[in-house]
Structures are given as C-alpha cells and as structure tokens.
Amino acid sequence: MTKLGQWLCGLALLGSAWAVLALAPPGLQLPAPYRQALLPLPVYLLVAFGCYSLATVGYRLATFNDCEEAAAELQEHISTARADLRRRGLRF
Amino acid sequence: MAAGGADKFSVLLPTYNERENLPLVVWLLARTFQESGTNFEIIIIDDGSPDGTQEIAEQLEKIYGSDKIVMREIISILFPSGTAYIHGMKHATGNFIVIMDADLSHHVSLYFIKQKEGNFDIVSGTRYKGNGGVYGWDLKRKLISRGANFITQVLLRPGASDLTGSFRLYRKEVLQKLMEKCVSKGYVFQMEMIVRARQLGYTIGEVPISFVDRVYGESKLGGNEIVSFLKGLLTLFATT
C-alpha cells in the first residue's frame, strides 16, 4: 500500500470512529460531556500537530551544524591538490 | 579494515561544467582510497560539457592510469540524474558503487568508506545528524532545508534522516535492483531510491557529512527547485 493509501485508511478509521462517537444519533450516545469534548478533537489535533511541527523545525534549524573546520580543511586540500596535480603535469 | 581484499569501489561522477572542480575531487578521492589501500576506480560521466571538462578528465586519465580513471561521455538534453548512473554502472567493475557530486560540496572522508563495515546495503551521508552539517548557508536556506526534510519525514517516513543528499554508497546488486524500480528524475530520484530501498528491506547506514557550499560554480536553489521538489515529494507519496 502506498503512503497515501495508508494515510487515507488511517484517516478513514479515525474519522469514522470520531463520527460515530461524537455525532451519534440518539439512543447510541455517550453522555453529553464526552460528546462535547470529542467534537472539536480533530481541530485540536491539527493545531497540536502544527505546534509540534513549528517547534521541531525551529529546533532543528537552531541546531543545524555549521562546518567551519570542514570548510577550512577543504581549502587546504584544494591548495595541496592543485600543487600536486601541477607537479604531475596537469594543465588547469 | 582488510587491506584490499576482494572489495573494489567504483565512484560514479556525473559532471556538467565541472572543469575547475573535477581534478580536485579526483585528487581527493584518489588520495583517500590510496591511503586506505582500497581498490578503486573513478568513472566520470560527462554530459557534453562545453567548458572542457572532458579534456581535463582525459588528462587525469593519463596521470592516474586508465584502470583508475574512466571517462564516458553521454549527450543528453536535460540530463536527468538517473541516466548518468545507468551509463556509469555499465562500466563499473567494483562491487561497491559510490555516488557523489563532482562539485566539491561533499567532503570526502575515509570514515564514510569504513562505515560499510557495518555490512549495510546502502550507506547514506546525512547533513542533519551527528557532526554532519553545512557551511556557508544563510538562515533562509537552512530553514527551507529543514522544512522540506520535515515534510518528507512526515509523509514518507523513510528511515533515513537526509534524503536529498547524493553522497551514497551502494552494493552493486542493490543499486542495479533499485535503478530498475525507480522512475523519478533529478534529486527526487535520490529520494525514491531510499524509499524503495527500505520497502525492499535493504539495510541503510548513515554517516554524517559536511556539505561545504560550492567552491567554484553556482548552486541551484530557486523557486522552481522548491516547486519541483514538492511535486516530486507528492508523487512519491502517492506512488510508493
């Protein structure tokens, strides 16, 4: 199954569970407080996910390494390489 | 690490207008392999560069020997990444294939090669873990990179932290199998390889790499790239 398929199945499952519990017809209902709590749940989850995303990306952005030494090392390698290749007869 | 043994590494270097960078990359690779006593070859696949890349490659072939440097030319418009590798693999005689860019943005390191001792089918360089990282990136570029990677992780759950990097080591049979199955173009192709690899049950090891921004030449990251990345991502989401 594709990722899209997995997402659709998951959403269908959760969606129908939520619909049954939160929007159920009379006779098959949970007590009112539970239904009232369940009703806005999808929106809450969406907002929670949004916050999680922002926090995660922000954290990862802040901890993104800058490779100062790698850059310096590379410059060194480049000079060594050019000198050595010139010695071996490469015409740049 | 067993000196030589039966392992040989074929490095595939697709090039387009890399006249400045190519000799340096080759020198670095040759030195790294020679210092570790590993058998290697470098296959340069040039896409009809007008700047004399092929001429430089031929000089390098003379300097290092044509068992070590192999130059193949393909002429194609648009030059999708995959084609270069297909061509390159036909000539590869090693049992491990290293794929990397010829633009000096990947810091060649011995550690990367040793990592294969973990007996992974694929070893992938990551900028996001360990002491991997970037150099010369402004905040905007870092944000786009992390943002795109986050979306990718959520949608594809690929089991690797860096999908768009293209510094990778594959067992030859694994790469051949994946090339048959992958259909994308450009760097989405790199992403597809990892996603399919995980689906097929291959083991993927990760090694931190330093991505030093292009020393010569221009890097390409514009609005177009972002749009095509998203399109590619959604395609992968819907088809894998």
Side-chain angles (χ1 to χ4, degrees):
Chain A
M1 189 187 280
T2 65
K3 295 288 183 302
L4 178 60
Q6 290 171 4
W7 275 66
L8 290 176
C9 277
L11 286 175
L13 219 63
L14 292 173
S16 41
W18 172 80
V20 162
L21 293 173
L23 307 173
L28 202 68
Q29 283 175 354
L30 298 174
Y34 291 115
R35 270 186 294 118
Q36 277 166 8
L38 278 179
L39 213 49
L41 198 60
V43 178
Y44 287 163
L45 289 177
L46 219 56
V47 171
F49 177 69
C51 293
Y52 165 77
S53 307
L54 285 175
T56 306
V57 174
Y59 172 74
R60 290 177 179 174
L61 177 61
T63 56
F64 210 162
N65 285 333
D66 279 307
C67 312
E68 307 285 340
E69 322 123 9
E73 203 182 32
L74 183 59
Q75 291 302 332
E76 252 186 67
H77 286 160
I78 289 178
S79 339
T80 320
R82 291 187 76 100
D84 187 44
L85 284 170
R86 215 168 258 127
R87 203 173 39 84
R88 297 212 213 178
L90 189 77
R91 282 156 325 175
F92 281 91
Chain B
M1 180 166 163
D7 289 334
K8 182 173 180 183
F9 291 80
S10 300
V11 182
L12 300 187
L13 280 184
T15 59
Y16 186 71
N17 283 345
E18 296 290 0
R19 189 206 170 83
E20 302 273 358
N21 291 324
L22 184 58
L24 307 170
V25 172
V26 168
W27 188 88
L28 285 171
L29 282 168
R31 190 181 74 157
T32 307
F33 281 116
Q34 277 158 357
E35 277 175 3
S36 68
T38 319
N39 200 1
F40 74 101
E41 65 179 353
I42 300 173
I43 301 177
I44 301 166
I45 310 119
D46 184 61
D47 189 20
S49 298
D51 73 340
T53 303
Q54 283 169 29
E55 196 255 324
I56 282 273
E58 276 160 14
Q59 286 192 53
L60 289 166
E61 207 172 337
K62 288 206 190 71
I63 292 176
Y64 285 99
S66 47
D67 57 325
K68 291 283 181 274
I69 311 277
V70 179
M71 221 272 308
R72 290 288 175 264
E73 178 189 353
I74 60 174
I75 312 274
S76 72
I77 306 171
L78 295 183
F79 194 30
S81 269
T83 346
Y85 301 139
I86 294 174
H87 273 267
M89 270 209 305
K90 291 204 191 99
H91 306 286
T93 59
N95 56 333
F96 286 96
I97 313 256
V98 176
I99 288 186
M100 58 185 288
D101 290 340
D103 62 4
L104 280 184
S105 54
H106 298 111
H107 200 54
V108 178
S109 80
L110 183 61
Y111 180 69
F112 182 95
I113 295 165
K114 284 195 163 156
Q115 185 66 13
K116 81 101 182 163
E117 295 297 344
N119 219 21
F120 297 110
D121 297 312
I122 300 175
V123 179
S124 174
T126 172
R127 297 160 291 176
Y128 299 131
K129 271 185 164 175
N131 59 358
V134 296
Y135 178 79
W137 282 27
D138 59 5
L139 207 62
K140 175 178 159 199
R141 195 167 169 198
K142 283 186 184 179
L143 177 61
I144 293 176
S145 180
R146 284 295 201 177
N149 181 255
F150 179 77
I151 299 174
T152 308
Q153 296 291 326
V154 168
L155 288 182
L156 297 181
R157 299 189 319 272
S161 63
D162 192 351
L163 283 205
T164 53
S166 53
F167 191 15
R168 301 222 184 113
L169 169 69
Y170 299 85
R171 281 188 212 279
K172 190 173 184 185
E173 327 79 72
V174 172
L175 184 58
Q176 278 166 337
K177 183 73 185 277
L178 289 175
M179 302 275 326
E180 285 166 28
K181 293 200 147 247
C182 293
V183 297
S184 319
K185 306 272 185 276
Y187 49 75
V188 179
F189 169 78
Q190 303 290 348
M191 295 164 60
E192 192 187 353
M193 298 265 264
I194 292 285
V195 174
R196 297 237 181 250
R198 201 177 47 85
Q199 283 176 343
L200 292 168
Y202 293 127
T203 53
I204 302 175
E206 291 199 293
V207 170
I209 56 166
S210 319
F211 190 88
V212 179
D213 210 10
R214 280 179 171 251
V215 179
Y216 301 114
E218 293 159 20
S219 211
K220 20 181 218 287
L221 182 69
N224 275 338
E225 261 67 47
I226 297 179
V227 167
S228 63
F229 167 79
L230 287 173
K231 283 208 297 211
L233 179 60
L234 290 174
T235 310
L236 285 181
F237 180 62
T239 57
T240 60

